[in-house]
Amino acid sequence: MFVKPTTEVNQINFLASAKYQNFTEQATKSYKAGEVFPANDATAKGVVFSDVTVDSETGPQPCAVMVEGYVLEARLPEPITEEAKAVLTGIKYR
């Protein structure tokens, strides 16, 4: 019988609600869950929903980006700038 080794996932839950809307984007660098995609400025499109790892072997990877929903701002890995908040109108903060 084949038994797959287990792995431990260490992510902080930053969601404040079970209702959210994600879209798929192409990540060209690694992101942690809760970071602003693609940058924490006026170019922001959303909040990365789960960790994505990009390296030289795999190249760009698909990435789930939350564009609407409620987040617990204190649990995000880095504070969202005022520039990004102005653009991310679908994200609500608690």
Side-chain angles (χ1 to χ4, degrees), residues 17-28:
S17 171
K19 298 193 182 288
Y20 50 84
Q21 179 68 49
N22 291 350
F23 290 114
T24 304
E25 296 284 346
Q26 197 72 4
T28 56

Side-chain angles (χ1 to χ4, degrees), residues 15-67:
L15 294 176
S17 171
K19 298 193 182 288
Y20 50 84
Q21 179 68 49
N22 291 350
F23 290 114
T24 304
E25 296 284 346
Q26 197 72 4
T28 56
K29 68 174 194 162
S30 296
Y31 290 94
K32 292 191 316 186
E35 286 188 64
V36 179
F37 179 88
N40 198 357
D41 56 19
T43 64
K45 293 183 179 180
V47 176
V48 176
F49 198 70
S50 60
D51 293 350
V52 61
T53 304
V54 175
D55 58 26
S56 59
E57 287 183 25
T58 60
Q61 295 293 309
C63 175
V65 177
M66 186 171 76
V67 295

Side-chain angles (χ1 to χ4, degrees), residues 12 14 33-36 47 71-80 93:
I12 295 174
F14 59 87
E35 286 188 64
V36 179
V47 176
V71 299
L72 299 170
E73 191 171 10
R75 292 188 182 177
L76 295 174
E78 61 184 40
I80 297 179
Y93 309 94

